[in-house]
């Protein structure tokens, strides 16, 4: 299916088939109208005019939501889950819900863990309030507009006021059909004084089939709420991905991102957090591995609006083969953000002479009384470090392995669920060797 | 005689095109403790680095043999497996790799695949050695040498020496930057290894360390060569008279090399 197949009729009938309320159909149609007139995004230092954002199937799975037994999942999916533990867990397979569980405790406290389609019907007011309103907007560029028009899966997580969610909530977005596109939308809301840890996995079978991922996450940390957000993206080589994760933090709120950006295809990934309220805090940590001929463009951006806000960016990337990885770190302090702090560190480790890496630190400061700092580097494995490890008998290959894992550890260690942390380590292992 | 023998024959070494070693001859056997002394800039550390295979040092002439095997043909890890160990003057810091993981990988590198050291045995050996060196146990969970004080780095080098039990240990200025208490602890660690199977080459420009670790043989380096060798009595003379008398005796004006 390509873009010219999409028409207002198609979108209306898709929305109807999903039994969506009229406001959602309207939303889609308006977004579609915008998509037809607006330009593609222009990520700095990467030309995407020849990237294939057109070849994909919008719907391949016509089944309705179900509840399977976790033991019936294929091994490749099961290894991301702690089956014994009865986790708070949502699994979507080709955008259709396969499994959902939340603990009785969470249910009693009014915590919502469900797929987006269900939320649109059962929690319409909440979805309406947060879906592409204050965080990500349809009008940003063609890909956000298309996202609004074609959204076909996702999750809705809502934590009411004063509720502390002790156990993490996990989602698995599983692309099983190789041509299936995920226009996946995650909304995570943590109301005042609440706390939640959320981890998502984007998984695909290894494949060269052409398809597109257009993923948006909107994360809201209300006053004094704390959100820890972990992810592992691992789409296949034939997949062109646009990933947009955005956070809004109100007074005294904290958002911590730990992102494992492991796609094998061309990828634009941006992670933007607005520190709106005074004393709000964001740690944006990300690791990436590039291999083969893929090009990836990563942006980590924290905007300090409030006073005494603290934004810290840490991104580490490893590039091998002929892969290209561009890492933008943007710290922006708006006028009025007195005593704000914007720190960033971007480091790229190159494993081959044909790989390309670029660390691009940017500080934009419109206020006097602030602190800011940046560090950026692009380099190779240090031969003196290798020498030191090898002088203890460790082989060159193992020494390189230790150095690379060590280089990525500051982010990997932040992934909140052990099974996911281990899988991320395995994915890294698989990509690097 | 047991243990291994390290022979250095007419060794010439360059760094960045400058010749630093100009024909070093030295033989170290199991059970022997050798000290190499000399002022700064005379080639002592270059000798240590060249033996281990530091990537910046190029051997242009001469031989290094370990039990008759050509060390210069070996990769750095093969030199370690052949029984060589260098306690470095400036150990690398490796972010993200815990000291404990590094130690275990090092020990396992010396064992066959499938015969890795059992975890509990490893932890016990590591804890015992750390106790012996009066080290803070938390250090094993810290990243390798990252943020370590000078003294902690030196103890960590000796910890590795104790756990890996090489045939020949080379200690490159293990005493530099240590206060007297740390020096005593480090010396205690080295002396614990003293037996007929362990040969040791101690590089220092202070005699202080040699008050605690007694050498059997003492060599003085100047201008990239060993210019004088003797027994422990040489240490005492150097302590009381300095190096000038050797320079006078040999007609050396500037003892340094490669400047």
């Amino acid at each position: 299916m390509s873009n010219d197949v999409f028409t207002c009729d198609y979108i209306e009938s898709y929305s109807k088939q999903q039994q969506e309320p009229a406001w959602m159909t309207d939303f889609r149609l308006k977004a579609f109208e915008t998509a037809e007139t607006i330009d593609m995004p222009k990520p700095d230092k990467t030309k995407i005019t020849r990237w294939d954002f057109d070849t994909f199937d919008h719907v391949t799975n016509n089944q309705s939501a179900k509840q399977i037994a976790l033991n019936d999942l294929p091994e490749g999916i099961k290894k991301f889950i702690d089956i014994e533990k009865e986790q708070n867990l949502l699994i979507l397979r080709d955008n259709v819900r396969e499994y959902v569980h939340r603990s009785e405790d969470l249910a009693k406290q009014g915590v919502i863990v469900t797929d987006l389609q269900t939320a649109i019907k059962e929690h319409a007011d909440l979805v309406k309030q947060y879906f592409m309103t204050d965080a990500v907007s349809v009008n940003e560029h063609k890909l956000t507009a298309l996202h609004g028009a074609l959204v076909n899966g996702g999750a809705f997580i809502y934590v009411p006021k004063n509720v502390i969610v002790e156990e993490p909530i996990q989602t698995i977005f599983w692309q099983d059909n190789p041509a299936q596109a995920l226009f996946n939308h995650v909304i995570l809301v943590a109301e005042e004084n609440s706390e939640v840890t959320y981890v998502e996995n984007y998984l695909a079978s290894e494949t060269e089939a052409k398809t597109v991922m257009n993923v948006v996450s909107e994360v809201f940390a209300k006053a004094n709420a704390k959100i820890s957000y972990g992810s592992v993206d691992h789409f296949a080589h034939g997949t062109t991905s646009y990933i947009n994760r955005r956070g809004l933090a109100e007074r005294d709120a904290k958002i911590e991102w730990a992102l494992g950006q492991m796609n094998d295809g061309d990828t634009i990934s941006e992670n933007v957090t607005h520190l709106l309220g005074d004393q709000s805090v964001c740690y944006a940590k990300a690791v990436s591995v590039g291999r083969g001929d893929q090009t990836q463009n990563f942006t980590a951006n924290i905007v300090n609006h409030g006073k005494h806000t603290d934004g810290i960016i840490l991104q580490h990337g490893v590039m091998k083969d002929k892969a290209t990885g561009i890492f933008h770190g943007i710290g922006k302090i708006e006028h009025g953000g007195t005593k704000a702090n914007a720190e960033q560190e971007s480091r790229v480790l190159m494993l081959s002479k044909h790989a390309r890496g670029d660390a691009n630190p940017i500080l934009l400061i419109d206020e006097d009384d602030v602190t800011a700092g940046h560090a950026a580097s692009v380099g190779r494995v240090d031969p003196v470090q290798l020498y030191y490890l090898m002088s203890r008998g460790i082989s060159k290959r193992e020494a390189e392995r230790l150095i690379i894992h060590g280089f990525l550890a500051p982010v990997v260690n932040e992934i909140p669920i052990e099974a996911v942390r281990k899988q991320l380590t395995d994915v890294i292992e698989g990509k690097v060797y | 005689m047991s243990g291994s023998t390290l022979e250095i024959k007419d060794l010439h070494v360059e760094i960045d095109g400058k010749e630093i070693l100009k024909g070093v001859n030295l033989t170290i056997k199991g059970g022997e403790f050798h000290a190499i002394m000399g002022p700064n800039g005379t080639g002592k550390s270059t000798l240590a680095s060249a033996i281990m295979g530091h990537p910046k040092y190029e051997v242009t002439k001469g031989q290094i043999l370990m039990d008759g095997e050509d060390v210069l043909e070996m990769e750095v890890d093969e030199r370690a497996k052949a029984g060589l160990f260098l306690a470095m003057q400036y150990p690398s810091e490796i972010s993200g790799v815990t000291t404990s993981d590094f130690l275990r990988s090092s020990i396992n590198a010396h064992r066959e695949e499938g015969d890795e050291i059992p975890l509990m045995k490893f932890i016990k050996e590591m804890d015992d050695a750390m106790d012996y060196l009066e080290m803070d146990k938390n250090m094993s969970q810290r990243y390798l040498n990252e943020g370590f004080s000078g003294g902690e780095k030196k103890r960590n080098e000796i910890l590795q020496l104790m756990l890996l039990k090489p045939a020949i240990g080379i200690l490159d200025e293990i005493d530099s930057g240590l206060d007297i208490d740390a020096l005593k602890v480090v010396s205690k660690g080295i002396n614990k290894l003293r037996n007929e199977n362990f040969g040791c080459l101690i590089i220092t420009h202070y005699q202080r360390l040699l008050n605690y670790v007694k050498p059997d043989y003492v060599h003085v380096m100047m201008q990239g060569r060993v210019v004088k060798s003797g027994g422990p009595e040489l240490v005492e003379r150097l302590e009381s008279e300095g190096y000038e008398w050797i320079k006078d005796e040999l007609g050396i004006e500037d003892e340094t090399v490669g400047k």
Side-chain angles (χ1 to χ4, degrees):
Chain A
M1 190 182 275
S2 100
N3 264 359
D4 47 19
V5 173
F6 296 113
T7 58
C8 291
D9 286 348
Y10 173 82
I11 286 164
E12 254 187 299
S13 73
Y14 174 72
S15 187
K16 190 174 282 175
Q17 178 214 324
Q18 297 290 319
Q19 298 161 354
E20 289 176 351
W23 66 268
M24 187 65 198
T25 315
D26 288 347
F27 188 98
R28 288 180 182 278
L29 289 170
K30 280 205 187 93
F32 184 63
E33 215 172 280
T34 306
E36 294 206 293
T37 57
I38 200 169
D39 286 338
M40 287 290 282
K42 293 184 187 65
D44 199 15
K45 297 192 176 188
T46 303
K47 206 173 160 202
I48 62 164
T49 45
R50 298 180 64 158
W51 289 22
D52 188 351
F53 276 107
D54 296 333
T55 312
F56 61 86
D57 284 359
H58 186 234
V59 177
T60 61
N61 184 347
N62 285 317
Q63 298 179 5
S64 47
K66 52 185 177 256
Q67 187 76 352
I68 63 151
L70 289 180
N71 263 320
D72 295 340
L73 287 167
E75 287 304 320
I77 304 296
K78 234 194 276 184
K79 65 184 181 185
F80 281 87
I81 307 168
D82 190 345
I83 287 186
E84 305 303 312
K85 240 182 161 176
E86 285 240 333
Q87 285 173 266
N88 302 309
L89 175 65
L90 169 69
I91 302 175
L92 265 59
R93 174 184 181 178
D94 293 331
N95 304 315
V96 176
R97 193 179 78 206
E98 191 96 340
Y99 176 87
V100 65
H101 173 80
R102 76 186 149 156
S103 70
E104 268 175 45
D105 225 27
L106 293 195
K108 234 184 278 169
Q109 291 174 302
V111 175
I112 302 169
V113 178
T114 190
D115 59 290
L116 188 71
Q117 284 303 341
T118 303
I120 287 172
K121 286 159 217 149
E122 294 180 7
H123 309 282
D125 289 348
L126 284 172
V127 175
K128 228 169 156 175
Q129 186 181 344
Y130 294 107
F131 181 74
M132 302 193 85
T133 54
D134 295 337
V136 175
S137 147
V138 161
N139 300 319
E140 290 175 22
H141 48 68
K142 197 184 198 85
L143 294 177
T144 54
L146 279 175
H147 181 91
L150 296 176
V151 59
N152 61 4
F156 184 77
I157 317 282
Y158 180 84
V159 183
K161 214 168 156 176
N162 301 326
V163 173
I164 311 285
V165 179
E166 304 276 357
E167 294 296 321
I169 295 171
Q170 185 179 6
T171 56
I172 292 180
F173 302 110
W174 167 25
Q175 178 219 25
D176 194 23
N177 184 320
Q180 176 65 53
L182 306 192
F183 280 70
N184 203 69
H185 196 100
V186 173
I187 295 172
L188 170 56
V189 181
E191 292 284 8
E192 282 178 30
N193 307 316
S194 69
E195 278 185 46
V196 62
T197 296
Y198 168 79
V199 180
E200 63 191 6
N201 300 92
Y202 285 95
L203 299 171
S205 32
E206 284 293 327
T207 169
E208 294 298 319
K210 290 273 174 208
T211 191
V212 170
M213 300 298 160
N214 183 327
V215 170
V216 173
S217 284
E218 301 185 282
V219 174
F220 303 87
K222 300 300 178 70
N224 202 35
K226 292 188 177 36
I227 296 176
S228 169
Y229 192 114
S231 80
V232 179
D233 308 338
H234 194 200
F235 291 127
H237 181 242
T239 301
T240 307
S241 301
Y242 169 71
I243 296 172
N244 177 347
R245 294 191 175 92
R246 195 158 305 172
L248 303 185
E250 296 183 6
R251 181 181 51 78
D252 297 307
K254 185 175 186 183
I255 300 178
E256 290 179 275
W257 305 94
L259 310 178
Q261 305 173 132
M262 298 293 144
N263 288 348
D264 283 327
D266 292 343
T267 298
I268 307 170
S269 183
E270 55 177 283
N271 176 216
V272 183
T273 305
H274 290 277
L275 297 174
L276 300 172
D278 295 348
Q279 292 92 241
S280 55
V281 176
C282 175
Y283 296 133
K285 298 184 178 178
V287 286
S288 314
V289 176
R291 67 170 165 184
D293 57 358
Q294 70 177 143
T295 295
Q296 299 183 92
N297 188 300
F298 301 106
T299 301
N301 179 358
I302 300 177
V303 187
N304 301 63
H305 301 262
K307 295 179 182 27
H308 294 275
T309 48
D310 195 3
I312 294 166
I313 292 168
L314 176 76
Q315 31 183 3
H316 282 194
V318 173
M319 292 295 132
K320 61 178 281 202
D321 304 333
K322 291 179 178 174
T324 297
I326 313 285
F327 295 82
H328 305 286
I330 305 173
K332 183 158 200 285
I333 302 180
E334 299 286 1
H335 184 65
T338 48
K339 307 278 183 199
N341 179 41
E343 300 285 340
Q344 58 169 292
E345 181 187 324
S346 301
R347 302 204 183 276
V348 188
L349 191 62
M350 315 280 281
L351 299 186
S352 99
K353 54 174 183 249
H354 303 294
R356 230 191 102 207
D358 196 350
N360 185 20
I362 300 166
L363 285 173
L364 303 165
I365 297 175
D366 284 332
E367 180 58 52
D368 295 328
D369 187 11
V370 300
T371 53
H374 62 85
S377 67
V378 177
R380 303 191 179 281
V381 174
D382 177 1
V384 176
Q385 286 189 339
L386 271 184
Y387 162 67
Y388 183 65
L389 295 176
M390 288 174 72
S391 78
R392 293 345 184 198
I394 296 170
S395 68
K396 187 172 182 192
R397 189 189 150 87
E398 176 68 11
E400 278 182 342
R401 208 182 69 84
L402 282 171
I403 290 169
I404 292 163
H405 278 291
F407 178 72
L408 300 176
V411 178
V412 175
N413 293 344
E414 296 292 317
I415 297 280
I417 295 178
E418 203 196 330
V420 180
R421 194 160 56 236
K422 196 182 164 305
Q423 289 319 312
L424 176 59
T425 304
D426 288 354
V427 170
I428 290 170
E429 190 92 346
K431 284 198 80 170
V432 173
Y433 297 101
Chain B
M1 200 76 230
S2 41
S4 291
T5 301
L6 177 69
E7 291 171 277
I8 297 151
K9 296 181 178 173
D10 192 30
L11 192 68
H12 291 248
V13 175
E14 284 183 5
I15 175 166
D16 298 330
K18 271 186 200 153
E19 186 165 66
I20 307 290
L21 296 189
K22 301 184 172 185
V24 174
N25 290 287
L26 197 64
T27 299
I28 299 150
K29 293 180 178 152
E32 298 176 355
F33 273 42
H34 292 247
I36 294 192
M37 304 190 67
N40 271 327
T42 53
K44 303 185 303 294
S45 289
T46 298
L47 175 63
S49 297
I51 295 170
M52 206 64 227
H54 190 291
K56 274 197 157 173
Y57 295 80
E58 191 192 347
V59 175
T60 52
K61 196 178 165 199
Q63 279 188 305
I64 302 175
L65 302 173
M66 181 77 170
D67 297 324
E69 299 280 333
D70 186 354
V71 170
L72 296 176
E73 285 295 305
M74 299 178 193
E75 295 291 338
V76 176
D77 57 324
E78 294 169 333
R79 297 181 194 205
K81 286 186 202 165
L84 288 168
F85 180 95
L86 171 60
M88 300 201 189
Q89 191 180 355
Y90 303 110
S92 290
E93 299 185 359
I94 307 209
S95 191
V97 177
T98 64
T99 303
S100 164
D101 282 349
F102 161 70
L103 290 171
R104 195 142 70 102
S105 295
S106 301
I107 290 171
N108 284 332
H110 289 266
R111 300 166 70 108
E112 294 298 319
E113 219 180 307
D115 182 37
E116 285 83 9
I117 185 167
L119 184 60
M120 295 318 289
K121 184 167 189 277
F122 164 71
I123 291 173
K124 183 166 188 323
E125 282 186 16
M126 179 174 72
D127 283 355
D128 288 352
M130 287 181 91
D131 282 342
Y132 198 80
L133 295 171
E134 298 169 28
M135 292 166 82
D136 178 1
K137 293 263 174 51
N138 291 328
M139 221 197 68
S140 68
Q141 291 315 311
R142 285 165 62 190
Y143 293 153
L144 184 56
N145 291 322
E146 196 178 66
F148 284 24
S149 68
E152 284 174 326
K153 284 182 183 171
K154 301 291 169 147
R155 283 182 209 220
N156 192 24
E157 293 295 287
I158 298 303
L159 174 67
Q160 295 166 44
L161 177 73
M162 290 177 72
L163 291 174
L164 293 176
K165 301 180 190 72
I168 302 284
I170 303 162
L171 315 178
D172 188 6
E173 302 207 5
I174 199 70
D175 51 340
S176 67
L178 292 185
D179 62 31
I180 190 71
D181 293 328
L183 184 73
K184 283 182 184 170
V185 169
V186 161
S187 304
K188 190 174 76 162
I190 301 165
N191 285 326
K192 188 162 197 279
L193 294 170
R194 201 186 268 270
N195 70 55
E196 59 179 14
N197 291 316
F198 177 62
C200 194
L201 179 63
I202 301 158
I203 292 171
T204 178
H205 54 259
Y206 302 110
Q207 41 286 338
R208 210 172 56 147
L209 172 68
L210 304 177
N211 295 335
Y212 299 99
V213 184
K214 296 284 180 204
D216 307 301
Y217 304 93
V218 177
H219 314 275
V220 176
M221 268 185 87
M222 286 185 184
Q223 296 181 327
R225 290 187 193 90
V226 174
V227 295
K228 192 155 198 74
S229 295
E233 73 288 347
L234 196 50
V235 180
E236 279 154 43
R237 185 153 180 209
L238 289 170
E239 181 160 22
S240 56
E241 297 178 37
Y243 291 104
E244 286 303 315
W245 63 276
I246 300 181
K247 287 165 73 177
D248 291 346
E249 203 176 281
L250 299 171
I252 294 172
E253 279 184 10
D254 178 5
E255 71 279 13
T256 62
V257 67
K259 289 279 161 63

